[in-house]
Amino acid sequence: MGSPGRSHRRLPQAPDRKTSIQEAALLPISRRQALALGGAALLAGSAGDARAASPQGQLTWAVHVSLAPTWFDPAETPGMITPFMLLYALHDAMVKPMPGQTAAPCLADAWKMAPDGLSYEFTVRKDVTFHNGEPVTAEDVKFSFERYRGTSASVMKERVAAVETPDARTVRFVLKKPWPDFLTFYSSATGAGWIVPKKYIQQVGEEGFKKAPIGAGPYKFVSFTPGVELVFEAFEGYWRKLPSVKRLVLKVIPEESTRLAALKRGEVDIAYSIRGELAEELQRTPGFTLKPVVIQGTFWLYFPEQWDPKSPWHDLRVREAAALAMDYKSINEALTLGYSRVANSIIPDSFEFFWKPPPAVYDPRQAKALLAAAGFRNGFDAGDYYCDASYANLAEAVLNNLQEVGIRVKLRPLERAAFFSAYAEKKLKNIIQAASGAFGNAATRLDAFVMKGGTYAYGHYDDLEALFAEQAVELDQKKRTELLHKIQRLVHERVIYAPIWQLAFINGQGKRVRESALGLIEGHAYSAPYEDVTINTG
C-alpha cells in the first residue's frame, strides 16, 4: 500500500482511483496520505506502459546557483529544495513526491505499517537496477538509511531501533515507539529514503562517489565542470518510463540578465529564476513562456542572537519592529510580479498541520515606535545581513526597509552551498535571510528550524520542546493538529522569525520545450520528474 494501514496489500497495476480513496477512508491515516493512495494507481500503472522510442535530443537549463558536488549525494541532503534539482534526475527513492501524489511508490512498490505502529515494512520493486547494472536490494536501502547524515538524521535515527532485511526485497524499519511522521521524514522531508549503491560506494569511497555518482534515477551522470555545467544522459533501463530527452545539461549562469539573454538567443531552453523587470520583458517576448510556480519555499529573517540577553534582538519589540518594517506588497510586486504569497509563516500554507497566522502588516511608523520603546530612538547598527547570493535582490529590498526605520545593516551575500553550510554550522550572526523549499509537513519544518538540535536552530524554548515531543507521539490527528497549531502560534507571537513570503519561483521557457515538468509536482521548484520532460518537435 502507498500509506500505513492495518494490513499489507501489494499495489495492483491499475487499481480504481475511486475505490482506493474509499478504502483509504477506512484506515487511520491523514488526508494527505489518503490522497497519495488514490493517486498511486497512476504511477504504478505507468511502469507497465509500452516502451517508447529511444531518447532523442538535448535540453539545457540555465541554473541560478553554482552546483555543488555535495548535492550529488542523498546522504548529505540539507533542509532545502536545491539538491532535489539533481536528485530527481540522478537518483530514485523508495517513496517520494510525484505528480498528484505526496507519497508515491517508486523503488518500493508496496509498504505497510504494523497495527501497533512500531514498524514499517517496504518491498523493493522487482528488477530495478542502478546505472551500473547492479540490482537495487534491501541491503542498499538499509545502507542508504544508516549512511544518511543530512538534515533531521539524528531525529530519525534516535527513533529507529533497527533496520532489518529478511530477504533481498524486504526492508523493515523497527521503531522504538509509534511515530506518525516516520513516512513523511523518510519519503520527502529528508534524503534518507533516496537509495545509493552500497557495493559501488564501498569500492570508490565517499569522495569517489561525488566525483562519479551512480544512482537508480532516470538519468546517468556524464560530466561535471564546477561553475560551468553538469551533464546527464538518459538511463534506458529506468523502471517507470523511458525518458524522452537523451541529454540534459544544467548550465550555471548566476547573473539573471545573462540567463535571460541566453534563453532569448536559444543557448538554453529553460531559465530558472527570472524576476522583476526581466520577467516582464520575457512576458512581452513572442515565442517565450513565463512559468511562475508558487512553491513550498518560505523566506524569512532569522535573529540568531535573540537568546542572548546582551543582544538588541533579545528584545521582542526589536524583532517586531523588523517584521513591521518590511513592505511585503511592494517587494512582491517588484520582484515576483505579485505571484508570491505573503503567508506570514515559515510553514508553507500547503503543508499538513499549517496554522494560518494573522495577515502580515507593513507599518514603519509603529516599527520606529517599538525601537524607541526598546531604547533605540535613533535606531542601531545591527551588523551583517547574511543571505544566499541568488536572492541578494530580495535582501537589498528588505535591507532598505530596515534602514528606513533605523535598523542599519551591511549586506553579506554568500554562494548558496557556502551559505547553507555556514547557517547549519551556526556561524552566522545578526540577521540571516534564509529559506526552505524542502518537502514535508509542519512538524518536519519545525524540527529543522525551531526545535533544539534542529539543523538551523540557534536556540530553543523549553515549552515548545515539550509540546513538540508530545505531538511527535500523538496518534490522534485532531489532538496532534491542535498541538502543532499551538507551537506555530507561539513561534509567531515570539517573532522567532520574521516571515517574508512564500516564493513564486518564476522561470522562462523557450520554444523547443513541449513539457518543462515545471509545476508537475506540487510545491516543487524545479523541473521534475525529468523523465516527463519532452522536446517540441512541431
Side-chain angles (χ1 to χ4, degrees):
M1 289 179 64
S3 266
R6 299 184 189 277
S7 61
H8 173 54
R9 293 184 301 141
R10 186 172 303 281
L11 283 171
Q13 285 299 303
D16 178 72
R17 180 180 174 89
K18 182 177 179 181
T19 301
S20 295
I21 294 175
Q22 289 172 341
E23 291 171 350
L26 301 175
L27 304 176
I29 59 179
S30 70
R31 179 180 63 84
R32 280 181 172 271
Q33 291 167 326
L35 289 174
L37 268 172
L42 300 176
L43 190 69
S46 65
D49 292 344
R51 286 287 173 177
S54 296
Q56 301 290 329
Q58 172 180 305
L59 286 179
T60 302
W61 280 253
V63 180
H64 57 309
V65 296
S66 184
L67 301 175
T70 184
W71 299 338
F72 301 164
D73 188 348
E76 299 184 7
T77 305
M80 60 174 177
I81 199 64
T82 312
F84 290 88
M85 180 201 310
L86 311 184
L87 297 186
Y88 267 93
L90 182 59
H91 296 286
D92 206 349
M94 294 292 278
V95 183
K96 69 177 186 280
M98 288 290 279
Q101 304 166 76
T102 56
C106 293
L107 292 181
D109 66 0
W111 66 89
K112 65 178 180 180
M113 181 185 77
D116 60 5
L118 287 175
S119 69
Y120 284 76
E121 185 173 290
F122 296 82
T123 302
V124 178
R125 188 176 296 275
K126 189 177 181 180
D127 298 328
V128 291
T129 67
F130 292 107
H131 299 153
N132 61 0
E134 293 183 354
V136 178
T137 69
E139 192 59 35
D140 295 306
V141 178
K142 178 180 180 181
F143 173 77
S144 299
F145 179 82
E146 293 177 343
R147 179 176 173 268
Y148 181 69
R149 50 186 176 269
T151 189
S152 300
S154 60
V155 172
M156 297 193 73
K157 294 177 181 181
E158 286 169 1
R159 288 172 166 81
V160 174
V163 183
E164 301 172 350
T165 54
D167 58 56
R169 293 184 57 214
T170 304
V171 185
R172 185 180 303 116
F173 291 85
V174 181
L175 308 180
K176 295 178 181 177
K177 54 186 176 181
W179 182 28
D181 267 342
F182 170 78
L183 190 62
T184 301
F185 272 88
Y186 187 64
S187 66
S188 61
T190 73
W194 291 75
I195 309 307
V196 295
K198 177 180 178 179
K199 290 180 182 178
Y200 177 72
I201 291 178
Q202 290 177 336
Q203 289 170 359
V204 302
E206 297 288 334
E207 293 306 311
F209 182 67
K210 289 187 179 69
K211 292 177 181 177
I214 283 178
Y219 281 85
K220 301 181 292 185
F221 174 86
V222 174
S223 64
F224 175 55
T225 306
V228 180
E229 68 178 22
L230 172 63
V231 180
F232 293 120
E233 190 170 280
F235 174 45
E236 297 195 23
Y238 187 54
W239 67 270
R240 179 178 177 243
K241 66 187 295 187
L242 184 65
S244 174
V245 183
K246 177 70 172 178
R247 181 164 285 215
L248 308 182
V249 178
L250 305 184
K251 190 177 291 290
V252 176
I253 307 179
E255 212 283 314
E256 202 161 349
S257 62
T258 307
R259 288 197 299 278
L260 178 58
L263 180 67
K264 293 173 72 174
R265 289 195 300 265
E267 295 172 2
V268 304
D269 302 293
I270 298 171
Y272 285 142
S273 192
I274 303 295
R275 295 165 290 191
E277 294 179 354
L278 296 177
E280 293 176 339
E281 178 184 340
L282 184 62
Q283 275 185 318
R284 296 191 298 266
T285 306
F288 294 89
T289 305
L290 200 67
K291 299 283 288 188
V293 181
V294 178
I295 65 174
Q296 57 214 12
T298 48
F299 281 65
W300 55 72
L301 299 185
Y302 185 46
F303 315 105
E305 295 164 331
Q306 62 187 278
W307 290 273
D308 180 0
K310 297 179 181 179
S311 170
W313 299 112
H314 184 70
D315 193 315
L316 174 62
R317 293 167 295 186
V318 176
R319 303 197 299 276
E320 289 177 331
L324 290 167
M326 290 186 282
D327 188 351
Y328 305 96
K329 185 174 184 292
S330 296
I331 294 173
N332 184 9
E333 291 175 349
L335 296 182
T336 61
L337 310 188
Y339 284 112
S340 294
R341 296 176 189 159
V342 182
N344 204 22
S345 174
I346 69 167
I347 312 296
D349 59 9
S350 59
F351 271 17
E352 189 174 23
F353 308 116
F354 169 76
W355 171 76
K356 186 176 182 179
V361 175
Y362 168 55
D363 190 341
R365 181 177 297 180
Q366 178 63 12
K368 291 179 181 179
L370 285 168
L371 288 175
F376 301 106
R377 184 171 299 278
N378 297 317
F380 69 101
D381 294 321
D384 295 327
Y385 180 118
Y386 292 95
C387 74
D388 168 0
S390 60
Y391 285 95
N393 58 354
L394 171 61
E396 289 168 354
V398 173
L399 182 151
N400 288 337
N401 285 166
L402 293 177
Q403 297 196 150
E404 285 169 1
V405 302
I407 301 174
R408 297 178 291 274
V409 290
K410 297 178 181 178
L411 186 60
R412 302 294 186 194
L414 300 173
E415 185 273 324
R416 179 166 297 184
F419 170 78
F420 276 95
S421 176
Y423 188 13
E425 292 170 9
K426 314 295 193 291
K427 292 181 178 179
L428 304 182
K429 297 181 179 180
N430 306 312
I431 299 178
I432 304 171
Q433 176 189 291
S436 175
F439 294 106
N441 61 22
T444 64
R445 186 65 62 89
L446 290 168
D447 174 74
F449 291 93
V450 176
M451 312 317 300
K452 183 178 181 180
T455 305
Y456 304 100
Y458 282 56
H460 70 280
Y461 290 91
D462 289 340
D463 60 335
L464 297 186
E465 294 297 320
L467 290 168
F468 193 77
E470 186 178 350
Q471 69 78 34
V473 296
E474 179 56 69
L475 300 179
D476 184 290
Q477 194 80 347
K478 182 179 179 181
K479 292 180 180 178
R480 187 163 185 241
T481 299
E482 290 172 353
L483 289 166
L484 285 166
H485 281 188
K486 184 175 182 179
I487 295 171
Q488 292 172 74
R489 177 174 56 78
L490 291 171
V491 169
H492 170 78
E493 290 174 354
R494 294 172 187 178
V495 197
I496 298 175
Y497 289 90
I500 302 173
W501 62 19
Q502 187 171 325
L503 177 67
F505 194 60
I506 301 180
N507 311 291
Q509 178 176 312
K511 304 172 185 178
R512 296 181 63 248
V513 182
R514 182 170 65 188
E515 175 55 73
S516 66
L518 288 165
L520 291 187
I521 298 174
E522 183 183 4
H524 184 55
Y526 308 111
S527 295
Y530 286 101
E531 63 271 22
D532 287 350
V533 173
T534 58
I535 294 176
N536 187 0
T537 57

